[in-house]
Amino acid sequence: MTATLYVCTTCKVGEVHEDDSQRPGARLHRALEAHGAPEGVRIAPVECLSACKTGAAVALSQPGKWTYVYGHMTEADAPDILAGAAAYAATPDGLVPWRERPVIFRKQSVARVPALTLPLEAAE
Amino acid sequence: MTATLYVCTTCKVGEVHEDDSQRPGARLHRALEAHGAPEGVRIAPVECLSACKTGAAVALSQPGKWTYVYGHMTEADAPDILAGAAAYAATPDGLVPWRERPVIFRKQSVARVPALTLPLEAAE
């Protein structure tokens, strides 16, 4: 199984661009692709994660794991985002130990949602 | 299949309570249970949706559908939350037409994440 790193390509973050490809979300997507997805991760562009107030936003998801959404990401964060995605992919449930998460993931969580296949007792 | 309405029971929303059962998230959960889940929806308490800045938070999820997270919910919103959950449960993909969404869902979106089983082309 592969973890998916969704990248909102429509995030504007208050910027105005005539060319949509210059939006912060689209630039973040290109930066992530330029670095390349780590093992066990695929990068997937998405048009709108509905996290417009906290863009640029990314999400990590994989069947059987918690889903995480992170906000206020920039191109400079690409290496940390990919390191965090690799750590996520290596877990059985999506729960990376707190100290092993990139600081941007610790501080810029937008939300997380349990995996539907996990027993609710595991939701902690 | 049944849609799951996750309710963060640990959301504090800036309030201080010695008794955790008085937290805004816990009160919201009780209000939703008191109204009762509509057909096709189950209500599931969760300890922390990591949306602390936008609590009280709820999430709607179902295999094969987009997952949605909503924030700044209060006990008074329980009827609207349940109406929105019922509308979500009735869709094939989680995408309720904009005008049919409760106003609190239109205005208080925290994030949404595509279903892993949906083709990315449908992510719009």
Side-chain angles (χ1 to χ4, degrees), chain A residues 4 6 42 44 46-51 53 59 61-63 66-67 69 107 109-114 116 120 123-124, chain B residues 4 6 42 44 46-51 53 59 61-63 66-67 69 107 109-116 120 123-124:
Chain A
T4 300
Y6 292 106
R42 74 181 179 111
V46 183
E47 289 191 1
C48 197
L49 289 172
S50 291
K53 293 170 194 157
S61 192
Q62 186 169 350
W66 283 77
T67 290
V69 184
K107 298 196 171 174
S109 167
V110 171
R112 65 173 191 167
V113 182
L116 287 168
L120 285 173
E124 58 183 40
Chain B
T4 300
Y6 291 108
R42 73 181 180 114
V46 183
E47 289 190 1
C48 199
L49 289 172
S50 290
K53 292 171 194 157
S61 192
Q62 187 168 350
W66 283 77
T67 290
V69 184
K107 296 197 172 174
S109 168
V110 171
R112 66 173 190 166
V113 182
L116 287 168
L120 284 174
E124 59 182 40

Side-chain angles (χ1 to χ4, degrees), chain A residues 27-82:
Chain A
R27 299 202 313 261
L28 174 59
H29 177 242
R30 283 197 297 277
L32 290 165
E33 289 283 12
H35 280 86
E39 190 181 330
V41 177
R42 74 181 179 111
I43 299 169
V46 183
E47 289 191 1
C48 197
L49 289 172
S50 291
C52 313
K53 293 170 194 157
T54 51
V58 301
L60 278 168
S61 192
Q62 186 169 350
K65 298 188 182 185
W66 283 77
T67 290
Y68 282 84
V69 184
Y70 298 105
H72 301 301
M73 300 284 134
T74 70
E75 293 155 273
D77 297 322
D80 282 350
I81 293 169
L82 294 167

